[in-house]
Amino acid sequence: RKKPVLANGSCAVLAGQCRRSGGGLWYRDIYEFSECLSLLVSDGKLRQALGESGYDYVRDTYRWDKVEEMYLSVIDDVAATAKVGVGLNG
């Protein structure tokens, strides 16, 4: 818990999650990986800050009520689109 992430920056999803959450570092090659890892190993305050930011982001973004709200919104949008489609065709 509350651990920072060291993510492969070649994956846009992982790099984006690191940016949005403030919960980790990302690298694009072996040199950046080495530098990021050295930084995380040597800087306890940074590790703690990144870990706490990531934890807070996940807690606030992926709580069940938030996930449920997102799914219900998508379902409502699909249902509204289907009704409009039915009205146009029939």
Side-chain angles (χ1 to χ4, degrees):
R1 289 187 109 171
K2 298 186 180 184
K3 303 292 183 195
V5 173
L6 181 53
N8 184 336
S10 296
C11 176
V13 172
L14 295 178
Q17 285 287 58
C18 285
R19 283 186 197 99
R20 286 187 297 280
S21 70
L25 305 175
W26 60 97
Y27 61 90
R28 290 171 296 220
D29 58 38
I30 189 68
Y31 304 106
E32 287 182 0
F33 175 83
S34 178
E35 288 298 316
C36 289
L37 184 59
S38 293
L39 184 58
L40 288 174
V41 168
S42 66
D43 191 335
K45 287 184 180 183
L46 177 63
R47 278 194 316 273
Q48 182 177 357
L50 292 172
E52 288 180 9
S53 290
Y55 179 86
D56 292 345
Y57 175 80
V58 170
R59 182 197 63 220
D60 296 341
T61 306
Y62 297 107
R63 290 188 334 242
W64 178 248
D65 61 321
K66 293 274 189 174
V67 172
E68 182 181 34
E69 183 180 304
M70 179 191 65
Y71 276 110
L72 292 174
S73 175
V74 168
I75 290 168
D76 287 345
D77 289 348
V78 169
T81 301
K83 287 180 184 175
V84 168
V86 169
L88 292 174
N89 293 324

